Amino acid sequence: MRKKFIIAIAAVIIVLVAAAVYLAPPSPRTPAVIYAAPTLRKIADKIAALDGGQVDIQVYGSVAAANLIKSGKIPDLFLTVDSELKEGLGYRKEYTLGTYRLVFVCQKGIESLDAVKTVKLGLADPNQAPIGYRALAAIYLMAGERYPELIDEVQRSLNIRFQKSGETLVMELSEISPSGRFSLRPNLDVVGSLLESRVVDCIFAYYPFVLARNFTQTYNVIEVPTQLNFESDPPIKITAKLKSGEIVVKRFEAAAYSFTPRGDQLIELLKKIDLSSFGIKPAR
């Protein structure tokens, strides 16, 4: 009799536990983590809206984000302005967003690219953000064509070195530090804030970033010569030596990399977005 009673009690407990599990609200899904370059933040927001779930968007310069991934801090998805940073990341899937161009953005009243010789200039740290080493490469290439004296000033004021040999340019940028009319910040997002607060007169920026910040309405957006705007590969081979290693600098090519099944799902949502509205051209 006692044995039957114990079995009955056990059966009741099992039924109650099962009912509790069935009726309990589902545990919330862990937020998906997206590392996004400042230029691609609006695209990350669009992905999150399409997903409808919890998405934690963390904004970093693409070099800084790649270094975080290599150190073991893995997101579900990485949106980078530079596909060349994919080496050594150990991603699952890759999706190329497209290409875009470099522009020079200045306070109203500054109308010419020649202003680069004299204005207070905001730059992103090339050791954290690819816009940094591309802006410096563009300055070197422009200076060589128009005002060679600028090369010495940039090297001296930023503690960097340009070494040109034939059709190859090597930029030693690992010890960069600003002085004089140059200001340095971790990424383009913060550099843009320098322009908005009038700490600097001009910045180099990606065109999608200009659209995202609505800079076309409030600043002069000055086009960089086609051969120097990185919408296609530069006219010479350029290597940037950074704290984290060497990068061969090619055209702008934004890309997405997934590291988890959740990241794979986010890439599928990304494919539904019209990227031309963000200033990105389809990759050829």
Side-chain angles (χ1 to χ4, degrees), residues 111-129:
E111 309 287 344
S112 168
L113 197 58
D114 290 341
V116 73
K117 295 185 295 183
T118 56
V119 296
K120 291 182 290 184
L121 187 61
L123 296 168
D125 182 352
N127 293 288
Q128 299 190 57

Side-chain angles (χ1 to χ4, degrees), residues 163-227:
Q163 294 176 292
K164 177 81 159 39
S165 176
E167 293 300 301
T168 299
L169 171 66
V170 176
M171 303 187 296
E172 176 52 71
L173 309 175
S174 61
E175 301 297 328
I176 190 169
S177 59
S179 64
R181 61 189 180 91
F182 298 92
S183 295
L184 193 71
R185 294 296 185 271
N187 58 53
L188 185 54
D189 202 30
V190 189
V191 173
S193 297
L194 292 180
L195 186 69
E196 291 170 324
S197 60
R198 304 187 73 86
V199 173
V200 300
D201 301 312
C202 298
I203 65 173
F204 284 94
Y206 306 121
Y207 191 65
F209 179 83
V210 169
L211 294 180
R213 294 285 277 263
N214 202 30
F215 280 178
T216 56
Q217 302 300 312
T218 49
Y219 301 99
N220 280 339
V221 179
I222 301 167
E223 294 293 338
V224 174
T226 304
Q227 71 274 21

Side-chain angles (χ1 to χ4, degrees), residues 1-9:
M1 182 70 177
R2 180 179 174 80
K3 185 176 180 181
K4 290 181 178 179
F5 178 75
I6 292 172
I7 292 173
I9 291 296

Side-chain angles (χ1 to χ4, degrees), residues 17-163:
V17 170
V21 170
Y22 179 78
L23 295 174
S27 57
R29 186 166 59 168
T30 302
V33 175
I34 299 178
Y35 289 174
T39 296
L40 305 179
R41 171 63 195 256
K42 295 287 187 183
I43 295 175
D45 289 340
K46 184 69 173 178
I47 293 171
L50 290 174
D51 179 72
Q54 289 186 305
V55 179
D56 177 15
I57 299 170
Q58 300 180 23
V59 179
Y60 300 102
S62 289
V63 176
N67 289 338
L68 279 176
I69 293 168
K70 289 176 182 178
S71 74
K73 296 178 181 177
I74 309 296
D76 295 285
L77 186 69
F78 175 32
L79 298 178
T80 173
V81 288
D82 284 281
S83 59
E84 68 232 25
L85 297 174
K86 68 183 179 181
E87 299 303 324
L89 295 187
Y91 56 89
R92 290 164 55 97
K93 290 187 177 181
E94 174 182 16
Y95 178 65
T96 300
L97 279 65
T99 62
Y100 45 96
R101 68 188 188 276
L102 183 74
V103 293
F104 193 49
V105 186
C106 296
Q107 305 288 350
K108 292 291 187 181
I110 300 173
E111 309 287 344
S112 168
L113 197 58
D114 290 341
V116 73
K117 295 185 295 183
T118 56
V119 296
K120 291 182 290 184
L121 187 61
L123 296 168
D125 182 352
N127 293 288
Q128 299 190 57
I131 185 70
Y133 53 74
R134 282 208 174 79
L136 290 167
I139 289 172
Y140 178 90
L141 293 171
M142 284 189 294
E145 290 186 356
R146 304 183 183 195
Y147 15 77
E149 69 281 359
L150 178 60
I151 294 174
D152 288 338
E153 183 198 359
V154 170
Q155 290 185 121
R156 183 177 62 255
S157 297
L158 292 173
N159 192 37
I160 63 174
R161 225 170 86 189
F162 297 116
Q163 294 176 292

